[in-house]
């Protein structure tokens, strides 16, 4: 049986790498992204029959229409990957950053819920499937200059845990993947050391392995899992002193 995979944020980075990985496995894909030209260019390189949906995950009505179209044409997906996300440096003291906070939360959190919602009941009724949310190690503890992004990814981790429990016993597995640094356009703007960085295609291979296994929570690469555990254990006084000097993502990036 042909694997059916629905991926948001599919035009570049992790999303595009996952699209290439699953297309190589013979899957039929539903690919969602805002940038039409980039999405079409990716689609032209993939073997097999796929569907492209140029839309913003913040547009819930458009996302529901895309989900309905994919399910009608190919059937309810076996794997849904809520990967769409945006990142920008933010400071609470800057009034201009309020719009950035809103955009990040709307895309990273509500966009994930809106991605899963059209499929969740059908997958439960079928008794199988994977709902995959891309979180981040940045959601483990709040990082300076990244209040919006860290808060969004912390919310995503908690949301996915709630969803996992809700789906318990249904046959639908909820998979939380918290990447460390992956070589993508999102990290290309960072001007600070990024340890254990993975190429996007290698990250996609490891993500897919966790998805296939139905792993509830995975930090990739594993080295960042160790870092995440240490970050959890640090007392606030030490964490604050150490991370106050950490590098910060630039503010004012296009979203």
């Amino acid at each position: 049986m042909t694997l059916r995979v629905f991926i948001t944020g599919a035009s570049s980075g992790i999303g595009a790498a996952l699209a290439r990985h699953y297309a190589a496995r013979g899957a039929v894909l539903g690919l969602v992204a805002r940038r039409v030209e980039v999405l079409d260019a990716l689609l032209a390189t993939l073997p097999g029959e796929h569907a492209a949906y140029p839309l913003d995950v913040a547009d819930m009505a458009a996302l529901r229409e895309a989900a309905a179209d994919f399910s009608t044409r190919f059937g309810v997906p076996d794997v849904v990957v809520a990967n769409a996300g945006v990142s920008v440096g933010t400071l609470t003291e800057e009034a201009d950053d309020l719009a950035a906070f809103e955009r990040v939360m709307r895309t990273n959190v509500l966009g994930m819920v809106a991605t899963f919602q059209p499929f969740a009941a059908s997958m439960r009724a079928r008794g199988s499937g994977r709902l995959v949310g891309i979180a981040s190690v940045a959601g483990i503890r709040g990082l300076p200059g990244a209040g919006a992004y860290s808060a969004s990814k912390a919310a995503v981790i908690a949301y996915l845990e709630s969803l996992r429990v809700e789906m318990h016993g249904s046959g639908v597995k909820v998979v939380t993947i918290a990447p460390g640094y992956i070589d993508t356009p999102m990290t290309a703007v960072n001007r600070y050391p990024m340890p254990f960085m993975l190429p996007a295609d290698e990250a996609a291979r490891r993500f897919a392995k966790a998805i296939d296994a139905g792993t509830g929570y995975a930090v990739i690469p594993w080295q960042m899992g160790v870092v995440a555990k240490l970050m959890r254990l640090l007392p606030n006084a030490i964490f604050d002193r150490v991370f106050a000097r950490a590098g910060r993502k630039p503010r004012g990036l296009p979203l």
Side-chain angles (χ1 to χ4, degrees), residues 13 20 67 80 98 103 112 129 131 151 175:
R20 290 190 294 268
V80 178
L98 284 173
R103 176 62 176 170
M112 180 176 290
L131 295 172
V175 179

Side-chain angles (χ1 to χ4, degrees), residues 54 91 107 119 221:
L91 291 174
T107 299
F119 300 116

Side-chain angles (χ1 to χ4, degrees), residues 31-210:
L31 303 178
V32 173
R34 288 182 292 172
R35 296 178 294 169
V36 180
E37 298 83 1
V38 182
L39 185 58
D40 287 343
L42 171 65
L43 200 65
T45 69
L46 301 177
E49 180 187 6
H50 312 293
Y53 302 102
L55 60 89
D56 189 328
V57 295
D59 186 342
M60 298 183 185
L63 195 49
R64 283 196 300 270
E65 290 178 7
D69 179 78
F70 184 85
S71 295
T72 298
R73 293 172 60 184
F74 305 109
V76 177
D78 304 291
V79 179
V80 178
V81 184
N83 167 71
V86 293
S87 176
V88 63
T90 49
L91 291 174
T92 298
E93 65 203 62
E94 298 289 343
D96 290 346
D97 285 0
L98 284 173
F101 269 88
E102 181 182 20
R103 176 62 176 170
V104 170
M105 297 300 288
R106 189 167 69 247
T107 299
N108 295 5
V109 183
L110 296 180
M112 180 176 290
V113 180
T115 298
F116 291 154
Q117 191 280 322
F119 300 116
S122 297
M123 293 174 83
R124 182 192 289 276
R126 186 183 59 196
S128 67
R130 302 282 190 271
L131 295 172
V132 183
I134 306 302
S136 172
V137 170
I140 303 299
R141 297 200 72 165
L143 300 177
Y149 188 70
S150 288
S152 74
K153 293 303 184 178
V156 159
I157 290 170
Y159 161 67
L160 289 167
E161 185 164 53
S162 296
L163 183 61
R164 188 182 71 239
V165 178
E166 290 169 9
M167 288 291 177
H168 180 72
S170 70
V172 180
K173 301 293 185 181
V174 176
V175 179
T176 302
I177 296 178
Y181 293 113
I182 311 298
D183 189 5
T184 69
M186 185 179 287
T187 57
V189 299
N190 295 343
R191 296 294 180 260
Y192 47 82
M194 292 178 281
F196 313 118
M197 178 177 279
L198 285 178
D201 287 342
E202 172 59 19
R205 186 189 68 81
R206 298 189 191 187
F207 288 14
K209 185 177 180 181

